[in-house]
Amino acid sequence: IAKFKESFPTTNLVQFDPISYSGIRKANEQSFGRAVIPAYDFEKALVVLSVGADFLGTWLDGEEHTQDYIKNRNYKSLEGGKMSRHIQFEAGMSMTGTNADVRIAVKPSEEGAVLVSLYNEITGSSLPGALAGNQRAATAIKLAAQELLKNKGQAVVVAGANNVDIQILANAINVAIGAYGTVIDLDNFSKKYQGSEEAFATFLADAAAGKVGAVLFLNANPLYDYADTKVVKDALAKIDFTLSFAD
């Protein structure tokens, strides 16, 4: 792609992910000045708390996470007295939720409030927007905060929502419990999921306005994966030359 852009300098590379994680990148850019998706090493976590992140299944690198996660949850862990603790807040039952020690049902609309409440418990703050009306979840948050603090440097909180504010909250909690540099690695970050919704929306707008002369699709099928098929179809109809490298 780099060589192609050298030969055709007006080329614009737009990356598209059917499932976007750009909220994590943007949150890390705001929190740490680094627009990256970090690596998570669940082997180093004695307490794992997830809010809507199916990290053993569909969230980021499920297979890699599973290999790390089970190292603290097998018979050797039990014999060594270091089996990890896993707390899951989620709406629908996920692969990760079925493996949790404690699973608390929350509405998708409550995920942000769960993190606000958890942040307040851990840091002694009083951020507005804390959880209300879900007593079971509120009790679990208080107990979970104690476990996370007792295991500083060996604990992590992950959130599944592709929402910048929610991911910034998760970042702040992970700073408070010492997850960075141990469980979370911002230096050896993931090279996957570089898609940008804004960049793709700009491409569609430019194409619809007749500003795109040619488009090449590599390992992407937005006509199938994008939320609004008609918008993509109408935009592509305005481009003189389109090429897909699909099998």
Side-chain angles (χ1 to χ4, degrees):
I1 292 172
K3 289 181 179 179
F4 185 89
K5 291 177 73 175
E6 287 178 7
S7 300
F8 301 93
T10 59
T11 298
N12 183 28
L13 174 63
V14 178
Q15 298 193 57
F16 172 80
D17 293 321
I19 299 174
S20 176
Y21 294 95
S22 63
I24 298 176
R25 291 202 319 273
K26 291 175 185 175
N28 285 331
E29 184 173 28
Q30 291 189 37
S31 297
F32 311 111
R34 306 189 65 180
V36 299
I37 295 176
Y40 297 86
D41 188 351
F42 288 95
E43 181 182 357
K44 296 178 180 176
L46 289 181
V47 179
V48 179
L49 188 147
S50 169
V51 181
D54 182 19
F55 61 86
L56 300 179
T58 59
W59 189 74
L60 292 176
D61 298 303
E63 292 183 4
E64 181 178 338
H65 294 162
T66 299
Q67 293 303 309
D68 293 336
Y69 174 84
I70 61 176
K71 291 173 184 176
N72 280 337
R73 296 178 69 81
N74 55 24
Y75 72 94
K76 292 182 181 178
S77 307
L78 188 60
E79 291 173 354
K82 290 186 177 181
M83 183 170 283
S84 66
R85 182 117 168 107
H86 173 194
I87 305 154
Q88 186 85 5
F89 293 84
E90 64 181 7
M93 181 71 78
S94 68
M95 172 75 75
T96 306
T98 63
N99 285 278
D101 298 302
V102 179
R103 180 184 178 276
I104 308 296
V106 296
K107 299 174 183 177
S109 59
E110 293 177 324
E111 290 182 5
V114 167
L115 287 164
V116 170
S117 296
L118 186 62
Y119 177 80
N120 288 343
E121 284 289 332
I122 288 173
T123 64
S125 303
S126 55
L127 281 182
L131 188 67
N134 189 334
Q135 190 55 50
R136 184 166 185 260
T139 301
I141 289 167
K142 290 180 182 294
L143 296 173
Q146 295 173 15
E147 292 197 41
L148 290 167
L149 286 170
K150 279 191 292 186
N151 290 275
K152 274 191 173 184
Q154 293 181 295
V156 66
V157 172
V158 291
N162 188 38
N163 178 289
V164 177
D165 293 330
I166 285 178
Q167 294 297 335
I168 287 175
L169 268 172
N171 289 351
I173 294 169
N174 281 315
V175 168
I177 61 176
Y180 290 98
T182 54
V183 184
I184 304 176
D185 189 346
L186 284 168
D187 295 320
N188 301 294
F189 52 86
S190 173
K191 305 298 192 300
K192 299 179 181 178
Y193 309 113
Q194 299 297 306
S196 167
E197 296 97 314
E198 291 86 353
F200 190 70
T202 299
F203 157 71
L204 292 176
D206 287 345
K211 297 179 181 179
V212 178
V215 62
L216 314 179
F217 291 102
L218 176 64
N219 297 332
N221 185 10
L223 191 63
Y224 177 80
D225 291 318
Y226 193 65
D228 193 332
T229 299
K230 186 177 186 304
V231 169
V232 179
K233 187 178 291 187
D234 292 346
L236 296 186
K238 300 290 183 67
I239 301 174
D240 290 336
F241 178 79
T242 62
L243 171 63
S244 171
F245 289 96
D247 293 337

